[in-house]
Amino acid sequence: VAWRFATEADVVAQLGVPLDEICGVCGRKDDEDRLVLCDGRNGACNHAAHTYCAGLSCIPDGEWFCRECRARSTSTAAFSLSV
């Protein structure tokens, strides 16, 4: 079996909606008014999560970063400090 990572085009073709309209935690696309979009990678990250799936009580006033971007930021900071 040949495995490959799904591209955003694959997901859109399969689900019919862009990634940033799907909760990355529960996989649902409902409750759009409670979806928070990641501000990581200079706005290029396309991850989203419902506030309740991300452990937030409301949409944050400032920036919000998904788990992947927070991990990337932490590892980059650790690398910078160790050099």
Side-chain angles (χ1 to χ4, degrees):
V1 174
W3 291 95
R4 68 178 179 87
F5 289 101
T7 65
E8 181 174 358
D10 295 331
V11 173
V12 171
Q14 181 72 27
L15 300 177
V17 293
L19 287 178
D20 61 1
E21 295 178 11
I22 299 171
C23 177
V25 179
C26 70
R28 295 188 341 248
K29 59 180 183 175
D30 60 349
D31 282 342
E32 292 173 351
D33 59 326
R34 295 184 186 262
L35 277 176
V36 60
L37 304 177
C38 180
D39 294 305
R41 295 189 286 167
N42 295 319
C45 181
N46 57 358
H47 290 134
H50 293 109
T51 52
Y52 46 85
C53 291
L56 302 170
S57 59
C58 63
I59 302 284
D61 288 330
E63 295 180 320
W64 176 78
F65 299 97
C66 68
R67 186 177 354 175
E68 183 179 314
C69 286
R70 283 193 310 267
R72 182 178 294 123
S73 175
T74 301
S75 66
T76 303
F79 177 75
S80 299
L81 292 174
S82 65
V83 173

